Amino acid sequence: HVQLVESGGGSVEAGGSLRLSCVASGDTYTMAWFRQAPGKEREGVAAVDSERRTSYADSVKGRFTISKDNAKNTLYLQMNSLKPEDTAMYYCAAVNRRYTRYPPLIKNEYKYWGRGTQVTVS
């Protein structure tokens, strides 16, 4: 069983930046960030695997960058040019699987989940 702990959330003004981190208790091959706003479904934001292949939701392309430090079992999400619509609880997710193509942004593909960190953009 892998435990995931997120950090780095907070409140920022529109146009600002935040960097989220997620530390995993063990090795993970594919990791992702999801987010969920009140009253909405949890949606995939970005994903990365140990080969550094990445996937991004269209809504964050060009603004967010996902990265993974395999040696530290740590996942990052650099969020720039934040918008009020980015406000949500952000969750780290992981699965020990290599996908043939790019890492997925489908929540049911991920086995391990963190408890989330809140991001508020005003």
Side-chain angles (χ1 to χ4, degrees):
H1 182 77
V2 176
Q3 292 183 322
L4 305 173
V5 179
E6 304 98 332
S7 62
S11 297
V12 295
E13 293 185 351
S17 298
L18 281 175
R19 188 192 194 206
L20 305 184
S21 299
C22 171
V23 179
S25 62
D27 292 339
T28 54
Y29 192 89
T30 299
M31 299 185 76
W33 289 99
F34 286 77
R35 67 185 180 188
Q36 188 168 16
K40 293 189 175 182
E41 292 287 322
R42 189 170 298 190
E43 62 174 0
V45 175
V48 63
D49 65 22
S50 292
E51 297 173 49
R52 294 185 170 81
R53 298 181 299 171
T54 58
S55 301
Y56 290 94
D58 288 343
S59 59
V60 306
K61 281 181 181 176
R63 301 188 298 124
F64 291 10
T65 302
I66 191 170
S67 60
K68 184 175 180 289
D69 186 327
N70 295 327
K72 296 181 179 180
N73 290 332
T74 302
L75 178 71
Y76 303 98
L77 185 68
Q78 178 66 44
M79 304 187 293
N80 298 328
S81 302
L82 282 162
K83 305 175 181 180
E85 50 264 44
D86 294 319
T87 295
M89 184 71 79
Y90 282 69
Y91 297 91
C92 175
V95 62
N96 275 320
R97 177 180 173 181
R98 182 189 186 278
Y99 291 85
T100 302
R101 303 189 70 177
Y102 294 99
L105 294 177
I106 303 170
K107 61 184 179 182
N108 290 345
E109 291 290 329
Y110 291 86
K111 181 175 182 179
Y112 306 108
W113 291 85
R115 293 189 175 185
T117 184
Q118 178 68 37
V119 171
T120 303
V121 185
S122 58

